[in-house]
Amino acid sequence: MTIFEKIVAGEIPCNKVLENDKFLAFNDINPKAPIHILIIPKKHFKNFQEMDATLMGKMTKFIQEVATLMGLDKSGYRLITNNGENGGQEVMHLHFHMLGGAKLNWTDAATDPQSTF
Ligand code: 5GP
């Protein structure tokens, strides 16, 4: 069981931002921007590549709701999902990183492999 599945099961606490029956949004424990929220489906999918397309449609709406709740719909944000080994995925349960609250840098991962965001 991944750490995010344990959060969904209530076995590990999280700083919750928004929740419904299918999805959960909570603050990242190691934020890389003033606002750094993780958004996950409660059902287990290893990563985006394995995600169900119909559920992804519902998740899109949930992600938009999180952005609006945080005021990021107006100021802007970055949405990232790391997929697999080369994508730098560490937790093997699909999650989107929502980053905002400041103007974010954009580095070239091809020339700066250490860059994260
Ligand atoms: P990945 O590298 O898989 O895309 O991102 C995993 C993210 O999960 C990292 O940003 C990391 O800080 C976050 N994270 C790992 N463990 C925990 C935890 O127990 N609680 C929370 N809230 N975030 C976590």
Side-chain angles (χ1 to χ4, degrees):
M1 209 187 213
T2 64
I3 197 134
F4 292 170
E5 289 168 277
K6 288 180 181 169
I7 286 174
V8 170
E11 292 172 19
I12 292 177
C14 72
N15 192 344
K16 192 182 358 176
V17 172
L18 189 66
E19 180 177 22
N20 68 17
D21 60 326
K22 292 189 170 53
F23 309 108
L24 176 65
F26 53 96
N27 288 306
D28 196 293
I29 206 167
N30 182 22
K32 295 194 168 58
I35 297 172
H36 187 169
I37 297 167
L38 298 172
I39 308 171
I40 67 171
K42 291 185 174 178
K43 186 174 175 189
H44 179 67
F45 297 92
K46 186 177 164 194
N47 53 34
F48 183 75
Q49 195 60 29
E50 298 196 353
M51 179 58 164
D52 176 81
T54 303
L55 189 62
M56 191 62 227
K58 294 186 170 73
M59 191 166 187
T60 298
K61 181 102 184 78
F62 184 80
I63 291 169
Q64 292 165 343
E65 284 170 16
V66 173
T68 301
L69 179 69
M70 300 304 294
L72 299 177
D73 57 326
K74 301 280 189 295
S75 57
Y77 60 91
R78 185 168 297 157
L79 191 67
I80 292 173
T81 186
N82 295 326
N83 194 97
E85 190 179 346
N86 280 0
Q89 183 180 4
E90 289 179 358
V91 178
M92 295 300 158
H93 180 99
L94 172 63
H95 53 282
F96 288 87
H97 298 259
M98 180 177 281
L99 298 136
K103 199 147 184 100
L104 303 171
N105 290 326
W106 182 254
T107 53
D108 184 351
T111 55
D112 179 12
Q114 299 308 313
S115 76
T116 46
F117 301 112

